[in-house]
Amino acid sequence: FVFDQSKIQTELAACDTASMQYFKAITIGAVDPADGFDKLKKALAAAGYDKLKAEKQSQLDAWVKTNIK
């Protein structure tokens, strides 16, 4: 399975930006993890994570239907 990102380039870039904004601070302990993850989840939602996830699932479902018998 190879994911075609062409339909969700905007959301992918926005999610990447949101992740970079919060992930490092969370992993190095610069922020409270609970607060940091809450902010990260909200930022990812605003960036279109649900659309990205739905597109990937749709492509995977189509691949499975075609390739797994």
mmCIF file of all heavy atoms in Angstrom, residues 35-64:
data_model
loop_
_atom_site.group_PDB
_atom_site.id
_atom_site.type_symbol
_atom_site.label_atom_id
_atom_site.label_comp_id
_atom_site.label_asym_id
_atom_site.label_seq_id
_atom_site.Cartn_x
_atom_site.Cartn_y
_atom_site.Cartn_z
ATOM 1 N N ASP A 35 -1.190 19.129 29.341
ATOM 2 C CA ASP A 35 -1.535 20.389 28.692
ATOM 3 C C ASP A 35 -1.003 20.424 27.259
ATOM 4 O O ASP A 35 -1.702 20.831 26.331
ATOM 5 C CB ASP A 35 -0.970 21.568 29.497
ATOM 6 C CG ASP A 35 -1.367 22.910 28.927
ATOM 7 O OD1 ASP A 35 -2.577 23.122 28.675
ATOM 8 O OD2 ASP A 35 -0.476 23.754 28.730
ATOM 9 N N GLY A 36 0.218 19.963 27.077
ATOM 10 C CA GLY A 36 0.822 19.950 25.755
ATOM 11 C C GLY A 36 0.078 19.068 24.770
ATOM 12 O O GLY A 36 -0.169 19.463 23.627
ATOM 13 N N PHE A 37 -0.303 17.859 25.214
ATOM 14 C CA PHE A 37 -1.043 16.963 24.330
ATOM 15 C C PHE A 37 -2.430 17.504 24.015
ATOM 16 O O PHE A 37 -2.927 17.360 22.908
ATOM 17 C CB PHE A 37 -1.134 15.548 24.916
ATOM 18 C CG PHE A 37 0.074 14.717 24.624
ATOM 19 C CD1 PHE A 37 0.915 14.317 25.651
ATOM 20 C CD2 PHE A 37 0.383 14.331 23.328
ATOM 21 C CE1 PHE A 37 2.045 13.561 25.392
ATOM 22 C CE2 PHE A 37 1.509 13.575 23.060
ATOM 23 C CZ PHE A 37 2.343 13.185 24.091
ATOM 24 N N ASP A 38 -3.056 18.150 25.004
ATOM 25 C CA ASP A 38 -4.371 18.752 24.761
ATOM 26 C C ASP A 38 -4.263 19.835 23.684
ATOM 27 O O ASP A 38 -5.065 19.883 22.745
ATOM 28 C CB ASP A 38 -4.935 19.336 26.051
ATOM 29 C CG ASP A 38 -6.350 19.839 25.892
ATOM 30 O OD1 ASP A 38 -7.190 19.095 25.337
ATOM 31 O OD2 ASP A 38 -6.628 20.983 26.315
ATOM 32 N N LYS A 39 -3.249 20.675 23.786
ATOM 33 C CA LYS A 39 -3.045 21.727 22.785
ATOM 34 C C LYS A 39 -2.693 21.127 21.424
ATOM 35 O O LYS A 39 -3.158 21.604 20.386
ATOM 36 C CB LYS A 39 -1.952 22.690 23.240
ATOM 37 C CG LYS A 39 -2.393 23.584 24.376
ATOM 38 C CD LYS A 39 -1.279 24.521 24.801
ATOM 39 C CE LYS A 39 -1.755 25.419 25.941
ATOM 40 N NZ LYS A 39 -0.695 26.315 26.407
ATOM 41 N N LEU A 40 -1.883 20.074 21.428
ATOM 42 C CA LEU A 40 -1.518 19.411 20.177
ATOM 43 C C LEU A 40 -2.749 18.817 19.503
ATOM 44 O O LEU A 40 -2.946 18.985 18.298
ATOM 45 C CB LEU A 40 -0.476 18.313 20.432
ATOM 46 C CG LEU A 40 -0.099 17.439 19.245
ATOM 47 C CD1 LEU A 40 0.461 18.266 18.091
ATOM 48 C CD2 LEU A 40 0.891 16.362 19.670
ATOM 49 N N LYS A 41 -3.592 18.137 20.252
ATOM 50 C CA LYS A 41 -4.804 17.547 19.687
ATOM 51 C C LYS A 41 -5.717 18.616 19.090
ATOM 52 O O LYS A 41 -6.268 18.442 18.001
ATOM 53 C CB LYS A 41 -5.549 16.739 20.753
ATOM 54 C CG LYS A 41 -4.865 15.417 21.057
ATOM 55 C CD LYS A 41 -5.401 14.655 22.233
ATOM 56 C CE LYS A 41 -6.851 14.649 22.463
ATOM 57 N NZ LYS A 41 -7.285 13.826 23.616
ATOM 58 N N LYS A 42 -5.854 19.740 19.778
ATOM 59 C CA LYS A 42 -6.690 20.830 19.262
ATOM 60 C C LYS A 42 -6.088 21.426 18.002
ATOM 61 O O LYS A 42 -6.804 21.729 17.040
ATOM 62 C CB LYS A 42 -6.875 21.905 20.332
ATOM 63 C CG LYS A 42 -7.776 21.468 21.458
ATOM 64 C CD LYS A 42 -7.896 22.534 22.530
ATOM 65 C CE LYS A 42 -8.763 22.029 23.674
ATOM 66 N NZ LYS A 42 -8.828 22.983 24.783
ATOM 67 N N ALA A 43 -4.780 21.589 17.981
ATOM 68 C CA ALA A 43 -4.110 22.151 16.806
ATOM 69 C C ALA A 43 -4.224 21.201 15.613
ATOM 70 O O ALA A 43 -4.445 21.644 14.476
ATOM 71 C CB ALA A 43 -2.641 22.441 17.120
ATOM 72 N N LEU A 44 -4.089 19.904 15.856
ATOM 73 C CA LEU A 44 -4.228 18.926 14.773
ATOM 74 C C LEU A 44 -5.657 18.910 14.236
ATOM 75 O O LEU A 44 -5.874 18.808 13.022
ATOM 76 C CB LEU A 44 -3.812 17.536 15.244
ATOM 77 C CG LEU A 44 -2.319 17.331 15.450
ATOM 78 C CD1 LEU A 44 -2.051 15.975 16.114
ATOM 79 C CD2 LEU A 44 -1.556 17.440 14.141
ATOM 80 N N ALA A 45 -6.627 19.019 15.118
ATOM 81 C CA ALA A 45 -8.026 19.062 14.683
ATOM 82 C C ALA A 45 -8.266 20.284 13.796
ATOM 83 O O ALA A 45 -8.901 20.186 12.737
ATOM 84 C CB ALA A 45 -8.961 19.072 15.887
ATOM 85 N N ALA A 46 -7.738 21.410 14.209
ATOM 86 C CA ALA A 46 -7.897 22.645 13.434
ATOM 87 C C ALA A 46 -7.156 22.564 12.097
ATOM 88 O O ALA A 46 -7.558 23.197 11.118
ATOM 89 C CB ALA A 46 -7.397 23.835 14.237
ATOM 90 N N ALA A 47 -6.094 21.766 12.051
ATOM 91 C CA ALA A 47 -5.281 21.635 10.843
ATOM 92 C C ALA A 47 -5.877 20.672 9.816
ATOM 93 O O ALA A 47 -5.383 20.573 8.702
ATOM 94 C CB ALA A 47 -3.871 21.180 11.224
ATOM 95 N N GLY A 48 -6.913 19.949 10.205
ATOM 96 C CA GLY A 48 -7.551 19.031 9.267
ATOM 97 C C GLY A 48 -7.157 17.582 9.423
ATOM 98 O O GLY A 48 -7.251 16.796 8.480
ATOM 99 N N TYR A 49 -6.729 17.198 10.621
ATOM 100 C CA TYR A 49 -6.298 15.815 10.853
ATOM 101 C C TYR A 49 -7.391 14.799 10.510
ATOM 102 O O TYR A 49 -7.109 13.748 9.932
ATOM 103 C CB TYR A 49 -5.847 15.627 12.305
ATOM 104 C CG TYR A 49 -5.460 14.208 12.604
ATOM 105 C CD1 TYR A 49 -4.234 13.710 12.186
ATOM 106 C CD2 TYR A 49 -6.317 13.351 13.277
ATOM 107 C CE1 TYR A 49 -3.873 12.399 12.436
ATOM 108 C CE2 TYR A 49 -5.967 12.042 13.526
ATOM 109 C CZ TYR A 49 -4.745 11.565 13.107
ATOM 110 O OH TYR A 49 -4.402 10.269 13.350
ATOM 111 N N ASP A 50 -8.639 15.118 10.828
ATOM 112 C CA ASP A 50 -9.719 14.167 10.553
ATOM 113 C C ASP A 50 -9.871 13.912 9.055
ATOM 114 O O ASP A 50 -10.118 12.784 8.631
ATOM 115 C CB ASP A 50 -11.037 14.653 11.153
ATOM 116 C CG ASP A 50 -11.053 14.563 12.671
ATOM 117 O OD1 ASP A 50 -10.288 13.754 13.242
ATOM 118 O OD2 ASP A 50 -11.832 15.305 13.293
ATOM 119 N N LYS A 51 -9.703 14.949 8.234
ATOM 120 C CA LYS A 51 -9.778 14.780 6.779
ATOM 121 C C LYS A 51 -8.608 13.931 6.287
ATOM 122 O O LYS A 51 -8.792 13.046 5.446
ATOM 123 C CB LYS A 51 -9.765 16.145 6.095
ATOM 124 C CG LYS A 51 -9.903 16.063 4.593
ATOM 125 C CD LYS A 51 -9.969 17.433 3.956
ATOM 126 C CE LYS A 51 -10.035 17.321 2.431
ATOM 127 N NZ LYS A 51 -10.069 18.637 1.803
ATOM 128 N N LEU A 52 -7.430 14.182 6.824
ATOM 129 C CA LEU A 52 -6.242 13.406 6.471
ATOM 130 C C LEU A 52 -6.450 11.938 6.829
ATOM 131 O O LEU A 52 -6.207 11.045 6.010
ATOM 132 C CB LEU A 52 -5.039 13.979 7.220
ATOM 133 C CG LEU A 52 -3.660 13.464 6.879
ATOM 134 C CD1 LEU A 52 -2.626 14.520 7.233
ATOM 135 C CD2 LEU A 52 -3.343 12.185 7.581
ATOM 136 N N LYS A 53 -6.925 11.691 8.020
ATOM 137 C CA LYS A 53 -7.155 10.321 8.493
ATOM 138 C C LYS A 53 -8.212 9.609 7.636
ATOM 139 O O LYS A 53 -8.036 8.452 7.264
ATOM 140 C CB LYS A 53 -7.606 10.359 9.959
ATOM 141 C CG LYS A 53 -7.839 9.023 10.588
ATOM 142 C CD LYS A 53 -8.238 9.203 12.039
ATOM 143 C CE LYS A 53 -8.730 7.915 12.642
ATOM 144 N NZ LYS A 53 -9.225 8.090 14.000
ATOM 145 N N ALA A 54 -9.284 10.312 7.301
ATOM 146 C CA ALA A 54 -10.355 9.726 6.491
ATOM 147 C C ALA A 54 -9.858 9.376 5.087
ATOM 148 O O ALA A 54 -10.208 8.318 4.538
ATOM 149 C CB ALA A 54 -11.547 10.675 6.409
ATOM 150 N N GLU A 55 -9.038 10.245 4.503
ATOM 151 C CA GLU A 55 -8.499 9.977 3.162
ATOM 152 C C GLU A 55 -7.580 8.759 3.184
ATOM 153 O O GLU A 55 -7.648 7.905 2.300
ATOM 154 C CB GLU A 55 -7.748 11.198 2.629
ATOM 155 C CG GLU A 55 -7.130 10.997 1.273
ATOM 156 C CD GLU A 55 -8.124 10.689 0.161
ATOM 157 O OE1 GLU A 55 -9.298 11.110 0.248
ATOM 158 O OE2 GLU A 55 -7.732 10.011 -0.802
ATOM 159 N N LYS A 56 -6.750 8.672 4.188
ATOM 160 C CA LYS A 56 -5.842 7.524 4.279
ATOM 161 C C LYS A 56 -6.640 6.233 4.476
ATOM 162 O O LYS A 56 -6.346 5.215 3.845
ATOM 163 C CB LYS A 56 -4.842 7.715 5.413
ATOM 164 C CG LYS A 56 -3.709 6.725 5.369
ATOM 165 C CD LYS A 56 -2.562 7.153 6.239
ATOM 166 C CE LYS A 56 -1.319 6.362 5.915
ATOM 167 N NZ LYS A 56 -0.149 6.838 6.638
ATOM 168 N N GLN A 57 -7.658 6.273 5.313
ATOM 169 C CA GLN A 57 -8.482 5.089 5.550
ATOM 170 C C GLN A 57 -9.222 4.681 4.288
ATOM 171 O O GLN A 57 -9.319 3.495 3.961
ATOM 172 C CB GLN A 57 -9.480 5.333 6.682
ATOM 173 C CG GLN A 57 -10.240 4.089 7.089
ATOM 174 C CD GLN A 57 -9.342 3.008 7.661
ATOM 175 O OE1 GLN A 57 -8.627 3.245 8.625
ATOM 176 N NE2 GLN A 57 -9.364 1.818 7.079
ATOM 177 N N SER A 58 -9.724 5.663 3.545
ATOM 178 C CA SER A 58 -10.432 5.393 2.299
ATOM 179 C C SER A 58 -9.520 4.689 1.294
ATOM 180 O O SER A 58 -9.919 3.709 0.650
ATOM 181 C CB SER A 58 -10.960 6.703 1.716
ATOM 182 O OG SER A 58 -11.512 6.501 0.443
ATOM 183 N N GLN A 59 -8.311 5.194 1.154
ATOM 184 C CA GLN A 59 -7.359 4.575 0.227
ATOM 185 C C GLN A 59 -6.967 3.173 0.681
ATOM 186 O O GLN A 59 -6.845 2.255 -0.142
ATOM 187 C CB GLN A 59 -6.115 5.443 0.080
ATOM 188 C CG GLN A 59 -6.360 6.720 -0.676
ATOM 189 C CD GLN A 59 -5.093 7.533 -0.843
ATOM 190 O OE1 GLN A 59 -3.993 6.981 -0.951
ATOM 191 N NE2 GLN A 59 -5.233 8.844 -0.882
ATOM 192 N N LEU A 60 -6.773 3.001 1.966
ATOM 193 C CA LEU A 60 -6.414 1.678 2.490
ATOM 194 C C LEU A 60 -7.561 0.701 2.277
ATOM 195 O O LEU A 60 -7.338 -0.440 1.849
ATOM 196 C CB LEU A 60 -6.052 1.765 3.974
ATOM 197 C CG LEU A 60 -5.676 0.451 4.640
ATOM 198 C CD1 LEU A 60 -4.461 -0.180 3.975
ATOM 199 C CD2 LEU A 60 -5.410 0.663 6.121
ATOM 200 N N ASP A 61 -8.780 1.133 2.543
ATOM 201 C CA ASP A 61 -9.941 0.257 2.328
ATOM 202 C C ASP A 61 -10.042 -0.174 0.867
ATOM 203 O O ASP A 61 -10.309 -1.347 0.576
ATOM 204 C CB ASP A 61 -11.229 0.965 2.748
ATOM 205 C CG ASP A 61 -11.333 1.165 4.255
ATOM 206 O OD1 ASP A 61 -10.582 0.518 5.015
ATOM 207 O OD2 ASP A 61 -12.184 1.993 4.668
ATOM 208 N N ALA A 62 -9.814 0.771 -0.053
ATOM 209 C CA ALA A 62 -9.865 0.443 -1.478
ATOM 210 C C ALA A 62 -8.758 -0.534 -1.854
ATOM 211 O O ALA A 62 -8.984 -1.476 -2.630
ATOM 212 C CB ALA A 62 -9.755 1.726 -2.310
ATOM 213 N N TRP A 63 -7.571 -0.334 -1.296
ATOM 214 C CA TRP A 63 -6.456 -1.232 -1.570
ATOM 215 C C TRP A 63 -6.756 -2.642 -1.062
ATOM 216 O O TRP A 63 -6.523 -3.633 -1.759
ATOM 217 C CB TRP A 63 -5.171 -0.697 -0.944
ATOM 218 C CG TRP A 63 -3.981 -1.543 -1.250
ATOM 219 C CD1 TRP A 63 -3.159 -1.442 -2.332
ATOM 220 C CD2 TRP A 63 -3.487 -2.642 -0.475
ATOM 221 N NE1 TRP A 63 -2.186 -2.407 -2.282
ATOM 222 C CE2 TRP A 63 -2.362 -3.168 -1.142
ATOM 223 C CE3 TRP A 63 -3.889 -3.237 0.712
ATOM 224 C CZ2 TRP A 63 -1.643 -4.248 -0.664
ATOM 225 C CZ3 TRP A 63 -3.165 -4.317 1.200
ATOM 226 C CH2 TRP A 63 -2.058 -4.803 0.510
ATOM 227 N N VAL A 64 -7.278 -2.731 0.156
ATOM 228 C CA VAL A 64 -7.595 -4.045 0.743
ATOM 229 C C VAL A 64 -8.639 -4.748 -0.114
ATOM 230 O O VAL A 64 -8.517 -5.940 -0.406
ATOM 231 C CB VAL A 64 -8.078 -3.889 2.206
ATOM 232 C CG1 VAL A 64 -8.720 -5.168 2.711
ATOM 233 C CG2 VAL A 64 -6.920 -3.486 3.101
#
